[in-house]
Amino acid sequence: MKKICIFGANGFIGSNLLAKFEKDFFNTALIRTKRNNNCDVLPKLNTIIDKDYINNIEEIIAGHDVVINLIGILNQTKTNSFKYAHAEIPKIIASSCVNNNIDQFIHISALGAN
């Protein structure tokens, strides 16, 4: 059984994946900055609430076989830019995967851009 770590599981794609993972995988870690409704609905999944997750990625993904990044924004704000959400965070996660010898990293963008 693979150990999977998912960043940004609160969105549309993440919500649909979680139903499958909750049923078939018991070693799935969801990384969130706050609790939401599906934290209680999916008790078999290990939900890590970490507001400072970006500084703890190395520790969080250690020991996982697969890392999935679903973090994305559709609207830029003063505190959350497209560049940070769609370029810098994936780069940090990918680098951490290399450092932890995780060769299965899946990144899905919400922008639909080239």
Side-chain angles (χ1 to χ4, degrees):
M1 181 180 320
K2 293 203 179 222
K3 198 168 177 190
I4 300 168
C5 180
I6 305 172
F7 290 88
N10 294 340
F12 176 77
I13 293 171
S15 297
N16 286 287
L17 280 177
L18 293 182
K20 173 75 173 156
F21 286 175
E22 200 271 341
K23 180 180 174 187
D24 295 339
F25 297 96
F26 299 98
N27 286 323
T28 302
L30 310 177
I31 314 309
R32 299 204 162 112
T33 56
K34 59 187 174 197
R35 290 191 71 76
N36 71 355
N37 293 340
N38 58 10
C39 287
D40 300 324
V41 177
L42 304 167
K44 293 179 186 174
L45 302 181
N46 176 23
T47 301
I48 299 169
I49 309 296
D50 188 347
K51 292 182 180 174
D52 195 33
Y53 74 91
I54 202 71
N55 294 316
N56 299 320
I57 289 178
E58 293 280 340
E59 294 172 23
I60 290 170
I61 68 170
H64 287 88
D65 301 302
V66 179
V67 174
I68 301 172
N69 178 39
L70 304 174
I71 294 172
I73 58 171
L74 297 176
N75 298 303
Q76 186 166 252
T77 65
K78 290 180 183 178
T79 58
N80 205 359
S81 71
F82 284 123
K83 181 180 179 185
Y84 183 69
H86 295 278
E88 292 176 23
I89 290 175
K91 185 176 178 180
I92 293 167
I93 295 173
S95 176
S96 294
C97 286
V98 169
N99 293 342
N100 279 281
N101 296 318
I102 299 170
D103 59 358
Q104 295 182 348
F105 172 56
I106 300 167
H107 170 74
I108 299 176
S109 172
L111 288 180
N114 292 339

mmCIF file of all heavy atoms in Angstrom, residues 6-19 30-39 42 68-74 86 108-110:
data_model
loop_
_atom_site.group_PDB
_atom_site.id
_atom_site.type_symbol
_atom_site.label_atom_id
_atom_site.label_comp_id
_atom_site.label_asym_id
_atom_site.label_seq_id
_atom_site.Cartn_x
_atom_site.Cartn_y
_atom_site.Cartn_z
ATOM 1 N N ILE A 6 -1.165 14.594 0.147
ATOM 2 C CA ILE A 6 -1.890 15.502 -0.749
ATOM 3 C C ILE A 6 -1.884 16.910 -0.165
ATOM 4 O O ILE A 6 -2.328 17.127 0.960
ATOM 5 C CB ILE A 6 -3.350 15.055 -0.941
ATOM 6 C CG1 ILE A 6 -3.421 13.623 -1.435
ATOM 7 C CG2 ILE A 6 -4.068 16.001 -1.897
ATOM 8 C CD1 ILE A 6 -4.825 13.061 -1.470
ATOM 9 N N PHE A 7 -1.409 17.852 -0.958
ATOM 10 C CA PHE A 7 -1.485 19.270 -0.612
ATOM 11 C C PHE A 7 -2.657 19.882 -1.375
ATOM 12 O O PHE A 7 -2.809 19.637 -2.562
ATOM 13 C CB PHE A 7 -0.201 20.005 -1.016
ATOM 14 C CG PHE A 7 0.995 19.636 -0.197
ATOM 15 C CD1 PHE A 7 1.798 18.563 -0.558
ATOM 16 C CD2 PHE A 7 1.323 20.358 0.937
ATOM 17 C CE1 PHE A 7 2.906 18.219 0.193
ATOM 18 C CE2 PHE A 7 2.430 20.017 1.696
ATOM 19 C CZ PHE A 7 3.219 18.947 1.319
ATOM 20 N N GLY A 8 -3.475 20.681 -0.701
ATOM 21 C CA GLY A 8 -4.566 21.381 -1.363
ATOM 22 C C GLY A 8 -5.745 20.500 -1.702
ATOM 23 O O GLY A 8 -6.309 20.594 -2.782
ATOM 24 N N ALA A 9 -6.167 19.673 -0.777
ATOM 25 C CA ALA A 9 -7.244 18.718 -1.046
ATOM 26 C C ALA A 9 -8.635 19.307 -0.837
ATOM 27 O O ALA A 9 -9.614 18.587 -0.940
ATOM 28 C CB ALA A 9 -7.064 17.486 -0.163
ATOM 29 N N ASN A 10 -8.733 20.595 -0.565
ATOM 30 C CA ASN A 10 -10.037 21.207 -0.300
ATOM 31 C C ASN A 10 -10.822 21.553 -1.551
ATOM 32 O O ASN A 10 -12.023 21.767 -1.484
ATOM 33 C CB ASN A 10 -9.869 22.496 0.508
ATOM 34 C CG ASN A 10 -9.342 22.236 1.888
ATOM 35 O OD1 ASN A 10 -9.440 21.134 2.390
ATOM 36 N ND2 ASN A 10 -8.769 23.255 2.493
ATOM 37 N N GLY A 11 -10.169 21.626 -2.698
ATOM 38 C CA GLY A 11 -10.828 22.080 -3.921
ATOM 39 C C GLY A 11 -11.631 20.998 -4.631
ATOM 40 O O GLY A 11 -11.859 19.900 -4.109
ATOM 41 N N PHE A 12 -12.060 21.301 -5.835
ATOM 42 C CA PHE A 12 -12.907 20.408 -6.624
ATOM 43 C C PHE A 12 -12.234 19.072 -6.891
ATOM 44 O O PHE A 12 -12.801 18.007 -6.628
ATOM 45 C CB PHE A 12 -13.273 21.094 -7.946
ATOM 46 C CG PHE A 12 -14.066 20.206 -8.865
ATOM 47 C CD1 PHE A 12 -15.410 19.982 -8.625
ATOM 48 C CD2 PHE A 12 -13.456 19.600 -9.947
ATOM 49 C CE1 PHE A 12 -16.134 19.149 -9.457
ATOM 50 C CE2 PHE A 12 -14.180 18.771 -10.794
ATOM 51 C CZ PHE A 12 -15.527 18.546 -10.552
ATOM 52 N N ILE A 13 -11.015 19.099 -7.401
ATOM 53 C CA ILE A 13 -10.318 17.845 -7.727
ATOM 54 C C ILE A 13 -10.022 17.074 -6.446
ATOM 55 O O ILE A 13 -10.255 15.867 -6.361
ATOM 56 C CB ILE A 13 -9.027 18.128 -8.512
ATOM 57 C CG1 ILE A 13 -9.373 18.706 -9.882
ATOM 58 C CG2 ILE A 13 -8.191 16.859 -8.669
ATOM 59 C CD1 ILE A 13 -8.201 19.229 -10.660
ATOM 60 N N GLY A 14 -9.521 17.766 -5.441
ATOM 61 C CA GLY A 14 -9.198 17.112 -4.179
ATOM 62 C C GLY A 14 -10.399 16.449 -3.535
ATOM 63 O O GLY A 14 -10.316 15.314 -3.059
ATOM 64 N N SER A 15 -11.520 17.138 -3.533
ATOM 65 C CA SER A 15 -12.725 16.571 -2.933
ATOM 66 C C SER A 15 -13.138 15.284 -3.625
ATOM 67 O O SER A 15 -13.603 14.342 -2.976
ATOM 68 C CB SER A 15 -13.869 17.582 -3.012
ATOM 69 O OG SER A 15 -13.553 18.726 -2.268
ATOM 70 N N ASN A 16 -12.969 15.220 -4.926
ATOM 71 C CA ASN A 16 -13.323 14.006 -5.665
ATOM 72 C C ASN A 16 -12.309 12.881 -5.443
ATOM 73 O O ASN A 16 -12.676 11.706 -5.387
ATOM 74 C CB ASN A 16 -13.483 14.318 -7.153
ATOM 75 C CG ASN A 16 -14.766 15.060 -7.427
ATOM 76 O OD1 ASN A 16 -15.832 14.484 -7.376
ATOM 77 N ND2 ASN A 16 -14.670 16.354 -7.674
ATOM 78 N N LEU A 17 -11.044 13.236 -5.305
ATOM 79 C CA LEU A 17 -10.025 12.227 -5.026
ATOM 80 C C LEU A 17 -10.182 11.622 -3.634
ATOM 81 O O LEU A 17 -9.950 10.431 -3.436
ATOM 82 C CB LEU A 17 -8.622 12.838 -5.121
ATOM 83 C CG LEU A 17 -8.021 13.029 -6.494
ATOM 84 C CD1 LEU A 17 -6.677 13.719 -6.367
ATOM 85 C CD2 LEU A 17 -7.869 11.709 -7.216
ATOM 86 N N LEU A 18 -10.589 12.455 -2.687
ATOM 87 C CA LEU A 18 -10.651 12.008 -1.303
ATOM 88 C C LEU A 18 -11.614 10.846 -1.093
ATOM 89 O O LEU A 18 -11.333 9.940 -0.309
ATOM 90 C CB LEU A 18 -11.031 13.164 -0.381
ATOM 91 C CG LEU A 18 -9.987 14.255 -0.282
ATOM 92 C CD1 LEU A 18 -10.435 15.316 0.698
ATOM 93 C CD2 LEU A 18 -8.638 13.704 0.103
ATOM 94 N N ALA A 19 -12.719 10.863 -1.787
ATOM 95 C CA ALA A 19 -13.673 9.765 -1.647
ATOM 96 C C ALA A 19 -13.024 8.442 -2.042
ATOM 97 O O ALA A 19 -13.193 7.427 -1.372
ATOM 98 C CB ALA A 19 -14.911 10.040 -2.482
ATOM 99 N N LEU A 30 -3.491 14.422 4.367
ATOM 100 C CA LEU A 30 -4.011 15.642 3.752
ATOM 101 C C LEU A 30 -3.387 16.827 4.474
ATOM 102 O O LEU A 30 -3.450 16.909 5.694
ATOM 103 C CB LEU A 30 -5.527 15.719 3.906
ATOM 104 C CG LEU A 30 -6.309 14.491 3.502
ATOM 105 C CD1 LEU A 30 -7.787 14.693 3.775
ATOM 106 C CD2 LEU A 30 -6.075 14.186 2.049
ATOM 107 N N ILE A 31 -2.800 17.723 3.714
ATOM 108 C CA ILE A 31 -2.154 18.882 4.318
ATOM 109 C C ILE A 31 -3.070 20.081 4.123
ATOM 110 O O ILE A 31 -3.387 20.457 2.998
ATOM 111 C CB ILE A 31 -0.776 19.160 3.677
ATOM 112 C CG1 ILE A 31 0.033 17.869 3.535
ATOM 113 C CG2 ILE A 31 -0.033 20.215 4.480
ATOM 114 C CD1 ILE A 31 0.159 17.039 4.780
ATOM 115 N N ARG A 32 -3.485 20.691 5.222
ATOM 116 C CA ARG A 32 -4.429 21.800 5.169
ATOM 117 C C ARG A 32 -3.956 22.915 6.085
ATOM 118 O O ARG A 32 -3.222 22.682 7.038
ATOM 119 C CB ARG A 32 -5.789 21.334 5.661
ATOM 120 C CG ARG A 32 -6.362 20.224 4.830
ATOM 121 C CD ARG A 32 -7.850 20.248 5.003
ATOM 122 N NE ARG A 32 -8.456 19.508 3.929
ATOM 123 C CZ ARG A 32 -9.083 18.367 4.106
ATOM 124 N NH1 ARG A 32 -9.188 17.843 5.295
ATOM 125 N NH2 ARG A 32 -9.624 17.761 3.079
ATOM 126 N N THR A 33 -4.439 24.114 5.807
ATOM 127 C CA THR A 33 -4.123 25.229 6.691
ATOM 128 C C THR A 33 -5.231 25.448 7.715
ATOM 129 O O THR A 33 -5.047 26.171 8.673
ATOM 130 C CB THR A 33 -3.921 26.531 5.888
ATOM 131 O OG1 THR A 33 -5.086 26.769 5.100
ATOM 132 C CG2 THR A 33 -2.687 26.429 5.011
ATOM 133 N N LYS A 34 -6.395 24.834 7.508
ATOM 134 C CA LYS A 34 -7.507 24.949 8.462
ATOM 135 C C LYS A 34 -8.440 23.757 8.294
ATOM 136 O O LYS A 34 -8.417 23.065 7.277
ATOM 137 C CB LYS A 34 -8.269 26.245 8.240
ATOM 138 C CG LYS A 34 -8.842 26.378 6.835
ATOM 139 C CD LYS A 34 -9.438 27.741 6.613
ATOM 140 C CE LYS A 34 -9.847 27.855 5.152
ATOM 141 N NZ LYS A 34 -10.076 29.175 4.710
ATOM 142 N N ARG A 35 -9.259 23.519 9.302
ATOM 143 C CA ARG A 35 -10.243 22.432 9.246
ATOM 144 C C ARG A 35 -11.363 22.831 8.295
ATOM 145 O O ARG A 35 -11.685 23.991 8.146
ATOM 146 C CB ARG A 35 -10.837 22.158 10.620
ATOM 147 C CG ARG A 35 -9.848 21.527 11.568
ATOM 148 C CD ARG A 35 -10.524 21.026 12.818
ATOM 149 N NE ARG A 35 -11.338 19.859 12.594
ATOM 150 C CZ ARG A 35 -10.886 18.617 12.413
ATOM 151 N NH1 ARG A 35 -9.597 18.400 12.393
ATOM 152 N NH2 ARG A 35 -11.701 17.607 12.244
ATOM 153 N N ASN A 36 -11.958 21.836 7.669
ATOM 154 C CA ASN A 36 -13.174 22.079 6.901
ATOM 155 C C ASN A 36 -14.064 20.858 7.038
ATOM 156 O O ASN A 36 -13.734 19.911 7.741
ATOM 157 C CB ASN A 36 -12.868 22.431 5.446
ATOM 158 C CG ASN A 36 -12.348 21.254 4.656
ATOM 159 O OD1 ASN A 36 -12.117 20.180 5.191
ATOM 160 N ND2 ASN A 36 -12.162 21.441 3.385
ATOM 161 N N ASN A 37 -15.189 20.862 6.382
ATOM 162 C CA ASN A 37 -16.188 19.811 6.568
ATOM 163 C C ASN A 37 -15.669 18.408 6.297
ATOM 164 O O ASN A 37 -16.019 17.484 7.008
ATOM 165 C CB ASN A 37 -17.407 20.078 5.695
ATOM 166 C CG ASN A 37 -18.145 21.308 6.152
ATOM 167 O OD1 ASN A 37 -17.982 21.725 7.291
ATOM 168 N ND2 ASN A 37 -18.937 21.887 5.291
ATOM 169 N N ASN A 38 -14.863 18.215 5.245
ATOM 170 C CA ASN A 38 -14.464 16.844 4.932
ATOM 171 C C ASN A 38 -13.364 16.318 5.834
ATOM 172 O O ASN A 38 -12.981 15.177 5.730
ATOM 173 C CB ASN A 38 -14.141 16.650 3.447
ATOM 174 C CG ASN A 38 -13.054 17.540 2.930
ATOM 175 O OD1 ASN A 38 -12.383 18.207 3.688
ATOM 176 N ND2 ASN A 38 -12.878 17.547 1.628
ATOM 177 N N CYS A 39 -12.869 17.117 6.785
ATOM 178 C CA CYS A 39 -11.932 16.593 7.787
ATOM 179 C C CYS A 39 -12.646 15.575 8.668
ATOM 180 O O CYS A 39 -12.068 14.575 9.071
ATOM 181 C CB CYS A 39 -11.386 17.705 8.679
ATOM 182 S SG CYS A 39 -10.204 18.784 7.893
ATOM 183 N N LEU A 42 -13.925 12.112 6.639
ATOM 184 C CA LEU A 42 -12.911 11.161 6.192
ATOM 185 C C LEU A 42 -11.997 10.753 7.350
ATOM 186 O O LEU A 42 -10.824 11.095 7.372
ATOM 187 C CB LEU A 42 -12.097 11.781 5.051
ATOM 188 C CG LEU A 42 -12.920 12.251 3.860
ATOM 189 C CD1 LEU A 42 -12.093 13.109 2.942
ATOM 190 C CD2 LEU A 42 -13.498 11.068 3.123
ATOM 191 N N ILE A 68 1.077 14.581 -4.052
ATOM 192 C CA ILE A 68 0.173 15.218 -5.013
ATOM 193 C C ILE A 68 -0.016 16.661 -4.584
ATOM 194 O O ILE A 68 -0.369 16.927 -3.433
ATOM 195 C CB ILE A 68 -1.186 14.492 -5.060
ATOM 196 C CG1 ILE A 68 -0.993 13.029 -5.457
ATOM 197 C CG2 ILE A 68 -2.143 15.204 -6.022
ATOM 198 C CD1 ILE A 68 -2.252 12.188 -5.349
ATOM 199 N N ASN A 69 0.201 17.585 -5.503
ATOM 200 C CA ASN A 69 -0.022 18.997 -5.228
ATOM 201 C C ASN A 69 -1.230 19.479 -6.012
ATOM 202 O O ASN A 69 -1.220 19.492 -7.243
ATOM 203 C CB ASN A 69 1.195 19.844 -5.596
ATOM 204 C CG ASN A 69 0.931 21.315 -5.340
ATOM 205 O OD1 ASN A 69 0.302 21.681 -4.356
ATOM 206 N ND2 ASN A 69 1.383 22.156 -6.236
ATOM 207 N N LEU A 70 -2.268 19.881 -5.282
ATOM 208 C CA LEU A 70 -3.477 20.434 -5.888
ATOM 209 C C LEU A 70 -3.676 21.889 -5.498
ATOM 210 O O LEU A 70 -4.732 22.454 -5.739
ATOM 211 C CB LEU A 70 -4.701 19.614 -5.442
ATOM 212 C CG LEU A 70 -4.646 18.120 -5.730
ATOM 213 C CD1 LEU A 70 -5.836 17.413 -5.106
ATOM 214 C CD2 LEU A 70 -4.585 17.862 -7.226
ATOM 215 N N ILE A 71 -2.657 22.488 -4.881
ATOM 216 C CA ILE A 71 -2.773 23.876 -4.436
ATOM 217 C C ILE A 71 -2.900 24.780 -5.656
ATOM 218 O O ILE A 71 -2.125 24.692 -6.604
ATOM 219 C CB ILE A 71 -1.549 24.297 -3.599
ATOM 220 C CG1 ILE A 71 -1.513 23.504 -2.303
ATOM 221 C CG2 ILE A 71 -1.565 25.799 -3.322
ATOM 222 C CD1 ILE A 71 -0.253 23.708 -1.489
ATOM 223 N N GLY A 72 -3.882 25.646 -5.603
ATOM 224 C CA GLY A 72 -4.076 26.593 -6.697
ATOM 225 C C GLY A 72 -5.089 27.648 -6.311
ATOM 226 O O GLY A 72 -5.900 27.441 -5.415
ATOM 227 N N ILE A 73 -5.017 28.771 -6.965
ATOM 228 C CA ILE A 73 -5.991 29.838 -6.749
ATOM 229 C C ILE A 73 -6.526 30.275 -8.105
ATOM 230 O O ILE A 73 -5.839 30.179 -9.122
ATOM 231 C CB ILE A 73 -5.383 31.034 -5.992
ATOM 232 C CG1 ILE A 73 -4.181 31.612 -6.756
ATOM 233 C CG2 ILE A 73 -5.008 30.647 -4.577
ATOM 234 C CD1 ILE A 73 -3.656 32.921 -6.181
ATOM 235 N N LEU A 74 -7.747 30.720 -8.117
ATOM 236 C CA LEU A 74 -8.343 31.229 -9.349
ATOM 237 C C LEU A 74 -8.352 32.752 -9.372
ATOM 238 O O LEU A 74 -8.482 33.354 -10.435
ATOM 239 C CB LEU A 74 -9.763 30.690 -9.509
ATOM 240 C CG LEU A 74 -9.857 29.172 -9.647
ATOM 241 C CD1 LEU A 74 -11.317 28.738 -9.707
ATOM 242 C CD2 LEU A 74 -9.097 28.690 -10.860
ATOM 243 N N HIS A 86 1.136 29.061 -7.924
ATOM 244 C CA HIS A 86 1.247 28.178 -9.090
ATOM 245 C C HIS A 86 2.674 27.933 -9.579
ATOM 246 O O HIS A 86 2.877 27.092 -10.453
ATOM 247 C CB HIS A 86 0.403 28.737 -10.240
ATOM 248 C CG HIS A 86 -1.057 28.737 -9.927
ATOM 249 N ND1 HIS A 86 -1.840 27.626 -10.062
ATOM 250 C CD2 HIS A 86 -1.859 29.709 -9.445
ATOM 251 C CE1 HIS A 86 -3.075 27.908 -9.699
ATOM 252 N NE2 HIS A 86 -3.111 29.169 -9.310
ATOM 253 N N ILE A 108 -1.147 19.249 -10.292
ATOM 254 C CA ILE A 108 -2.278 19.595 -11.160
ATOM 255 C C ILE A 108 -2.586 21.064 -10.947
ATOM 256 O O ILE A 108 -2.850 21.512 -9.819
ATOM 257 C CB ILE A 108 -3.516 18.739 -10.840
ATOM 258 C CG1 ILE A 108 -3.177 17.256 -11.079
ATOM 259 C CG2 ILE A 108 -4.713 19.158 -11.693
ATOM 260 C CD1 ILE A 108 -4.264 16.293 -10.712
ATOM 261 N N SER A 109 -2.586 21.833 -12.029
ATOM 262 C CA SER A 109 -2.839 23.263 -11.960
ATOM 263 C C SER A 109 -4.325 23.557 -12.146
ATOM 264 O O SER A 109 -4.990 22.927 -12.956
ATOM 265 C CB SER A 109 -2.036 23.979 -13.048
ATOM 266 O OG SER A 109 -2.409 25.337 -13.101
ATOM 267 N N ALA A 110 -4.798 24.545 -11.427
ATOM 268 C CA ALA A 110 -6.186 24.979 -11.550
ATOM 269 C C ALA A 110 -6.379 26.024 -12.643
ATOM 270 O O ALA A 110 -7.487 26.358 -12.997
ATOM 271 C CB ALA A 110 -6.666 25.560 -10.223
#
